[in-house]
Amino acid sequence: MKKTLLLISAIAFLFTSCDKDKAIVTDITINFNHTVNGSELMTNSMIYTNEAGENYDIQTLKYLISDITLHSENGSSLLLDEVHFIDISDESTFSLTYNEVPNNNYTSISFDMGLDTAKNISNKYVNDDFHTTMFWPEPNGGGYHYMKLEGAYNNDSTFYNTHTGGTMGADYSFNHVENISLTVDNDLGDVSVNINMEINNWYNSPNQIEFSSYGMGIMMNMMMQMNIQMNGITDVFSVTVDK
Amino acid sequence: MKSLIYLLLGAILIISCKKDLAPISGCTDNIAINYNPNAITEDQSCNYFSTTPYVIETPYGFPDMKIPSDNPMTVEGIALGEKLFKDPILSADNTQACINCHQQNFSFSDPNQFSTGIDNIQGNRNASALINLGWNTSFNWDGSSLTLEEQAFEPVTNSIEMHNTWMNVEQELNSHIDYPFLFKQAFNINYIDSSHVVKAIAQFERTLISTNSKLDRYLKNEEQLTISELNGYAIFNTEKGDCFHCHSTNMFMDNLFHNNGLDIEPFIDIGRAKVTSNPLDNGKFKTPTLRNVEMTAPYMHDGRFATLEEVVEHYDSGGKYSTTVDPLMKKLGVGLQLSNQEKKDLVAYLKTLTDNEFIGSD
């Protein structure tokens, strides 16, 4: 009895000592941060001003980020998540973690704002949390909202809804690529990648968008979907890496 | 001791009378559900606990129903739940069953603005229609219950509803001629307790599925909508009427709480905030499904509107401002500006959600 115990502990010891020589694994956490004019978003307070000079608050922000992918020097890529839903009223949606990233020299990260045509199909994500909140009705092209950004402007009782999506089946999702330098090797350890959405920039340059003209809805307005997409591509997203 | 002997003698007498003095035969295996402790000769009639699984098919455009792992659906459990749902035995004076306030021909709702409990007291909320409940993530207008099992505990003891005690319910059920066997059959229990009563009821409620309306048949290309219904369909599903954001997907609800601009402050009923104590939830209520809405009048948490026309007038007005009104009510102050014909179209569309099979009149 004693002998076997000794043997077992010896073997266990051996294994653990082997472990010590083993590589440290790297888990990547993607954080989704939100700023307005550079400072962290505060919901439900009318403290923001857009380029058109309108004061506004933010009460609702829900959006989909898809195909979050790391690209390496040698041309291989690693899909971290197919679709991630972020809801400003639910902190648990502000990050996602990918465990045990393989060693490689990663040189860029890319993701889509919204869902591309292959994914933006009615009922494709029927069992996902976001299905009911983000669904986009058939008579308007079907699929899902990419983003719902809502609040009040000028005074507490005039509202704006900025809902983006595939109006009449057109694809207004866009890809964001950011160069990073991230070498995952045997002793790097865990890493955070922060994806920041600068909310005010949805309404500014190159296209200035006023709530007074478009607050009541743009779901059927292809021109506005395009303008907002262009603003989004220009300077809404930025990425930083914390090692 | 003596009394026990008398009792036994009495019991033997009764049993022997029944069986014409023949030697008692029956199931003598004590793990069988019909084990007869008085049986002396085995008659091969033993039945053992075995339930028949019941599978819920996922309707088009619905997520899979989430069924609690400790209450799997069985044919036996559902039948028992239906019997309990319709049985006034659950109320203190045996006069009121769940079905009295949740009437099938009104899509399991109450045509009265406020339901009256056994003590002739009325509540201040309209009885919800019970439809497609298996897809709800909370129950009651303020979401105060998180499961159907939990919800079913309430009406039985609620002083303005069935005003009973669970001890009393358990006593009556355990001494009933049918229930002990039915519970044994469904759950393999010898003593009926409240947790199994609510489990059976919840199983039955999960089968109240309505997805055979004219609209469903239209979406499957089996039936055509009229021009007016189609106009209503377009108003509902675009930002013109903007109903779909809250009454969303094929479920016609979003499992969320909204203030749809019914009242100015202070609110008589603070709704969701009763549960969360968060002032930002004042005046918010759970979005009800609009399936079978034609049958579920009167409307809103307090049954304030008698007709769908009144409901449409409310939304067309744009609603009233309060600090928690939903930004989706974005035409507040301006209104939807629907023409009279468009209002009729919207009502016509809402009526395509009627499922005659579900309300038992097909």
Short mmCIF file of all heavy atoms in Angstrom, two decimals, chain A residues 13-24:
data_model
loop_
_atom_site.label_atom_id
_atom_site.label_comp_id
_atom_site.label_asym_id
_atom_site.label_seq_id
_atom_site.Cartn_x
_atom_site.Cartn_y
_atom_site.Cartn_z
N PHE A 13 4.97 13.74 -9.16
CA PHE A 13 6.03 14.73 -9.03
C PHE A 13 6.72 14.93 -10.38
O PHE A 13 6.92 16.04 -10.84
CB PHE A 13 7.04 14.26 -7.97
CG PHE A 13 8.04 15.32 -7.63
CD1 PHE A 13 7.69 16.37 -6.80
CD2 PHE A 13 9.33 15.26 -8.15
CE1 PHE A 13 8.61 17.35 -6.48
CE2 PHE A 13 10.26 16.25 -7.84
CZ PHE A 13 9.90 17.29 -7.01
N LEU A 14 7.03 13.78 -10.98
CA LEU A 14 7.68 13.81 -12.28
C LEU A 14 6.90 14.66 -13.28
O LEU A 14 7.44 15.53 -13.95
CB LEU A 14 7.78 12.38 -12.82
CG LEU A 14 9.22 11.92 -13.05
CD1 LEU A 14 9.33 10.42 -12.85
CD2 LEU A 14 9.69 12.35 -14.43
N PHE A 15 5.59 14.36 -13.31
CA PHE A 15 4.72 15.07 -14.25
C PHE A 15 4.73 16.57 -14.00
O PHE A 15 4.87 17.36 -14.92
CB PHE A 15 3.27 14.56 -14.14
CG PHE A 15 2.99 13.46 -15.11
CD1 PHE A 15 2.89 12.13 -14.69
CD2 PHE A 15 2.84 13.74 -16.46
CE1 PHE A 15 2.64 11.12 -15.59
CE2 PHE A 15 2.58 12.73 -17.36
CZ PHE A 15 2.48 11.41 -16.94
N THR A 16 4.57 16.93 -12.73
CA THR A 16 4.52 18.37 -12.43
C THR A 16 5.83 19.04 -12.78
O THR A 16 5.85 20.15 -13.28
CB THR A 16 4.18 18.64 -10.96
OG1 THR A 16 4.61 17.55 -10.18
CG2 THR A 16 2.71 18.91 -10.75
N SER A 17 6.93 18.34 -12.54
CA SER A 17 8.20 18.98 -12.87
C SER A 17 8.33 19.14 -14.37
O SER A 17 8.84 20.13 -14.85
CB SER A 17 9.39 18.20 -12.30
OG SER A 17 9.05 16.89 -12.03
N CYS A 18 7.83 18.14 -15.12
CA CYS A 18 7.83 18.28 -16.57
C CYS A 18 7.06 19.53 -16.97
O CYS A 18 7.50 20.31 -17.79
CB CYS A 18 7.18 17.08 -17.24
SG CYS A 18 8.22 15.62 -17.19
N ASP A 19 5.86 19.69 -16.32
CA ASP A 19 5.00 20.84 -16.59
C ASP A 19 5.76 22.15 -16.52
O ASP A 19 5.50 23.07 -17.27
CB ASP A 19 3.85 20.89 -15.58
CG ASP A 19 2.63 20.18 -16.13
OD1 ASP A 19 2.69 19.81 -17.31
OD2 ASP A 19 1.65 20.01 -15.38
N LYS A 20 6.66 22.20 -15.56
CA LYS A 20 7.37 23.46 -15.33
C LYS A 20 8.19 23.88 -16.55
O LYS A 20 8.42 25.05 -16.77
CB LYS A 20 8.28 23.32 -14.11
CG LYS A 20 7.48 23.17 -12.82
CD LYS A 20 7.90 24.16 -11.75
CE LYS A 20 6.88 24.21 -10.64
NZ LYS A 20 7.25 23.35 -9.50
N ASP A 21 8.60 22.86 -17.32
CA ASP A 21 9.39 23.18 -18.51
C ASP A 21 8.49 23.52 -19.68
O ASP A 21 8.94 24.03 -20.69
CB ASP A 21 10.29 21.99 -18.90
CG ASP A 21 11.25 21.68 -17.76
OD1 ASP A 21 11.55 22.61 -16.99
OD2 ASP A 21 11.66 20.51 -17.66
N LYS A 22 7.19 23.16 -19.52
CA LYS A 22 6.25 23.35 -20.62
C LYS A 22 6.00 24.83 -20.88
O LYS A 22 6.18 25.68 -20.02
CB LYS A 22 4.92 22.69 -20.25
CG LYS A 22 4.63 21.43 -21.04
CD LYS A 22 3.17 21.11 -20.86
CE LYS A 22 2.77 19.79 -21.46
NZ LYS A 22 1.45 19.42 -20.93
N ALA A 23 5.50 25.10 -22.10
CA ALA A 23 5.23 26.48 -22.48
C ALA A 23 4.12 27.07 -21.62
O ALA A 23 3.20 26.37 -21.22
CB ALA A 23 4.81 26.51 -23.94
N ILE A 24 4.20 28.35 -21.34
CA ILE A 24 3.09 29.06 -20.73
C ILE A 24 2.09 29.31 -21.85
O ILE A 24 2.47 29.76 -22.93
CB ILE A 24 3.55 30.42 -20.16
CG1 ILE A 24 4.63 30.21 -19.12
CG2 ILE A 24 2.37 31.19 -19.60
CD1 ILE A 24 5.24 31.50 -18.61
#
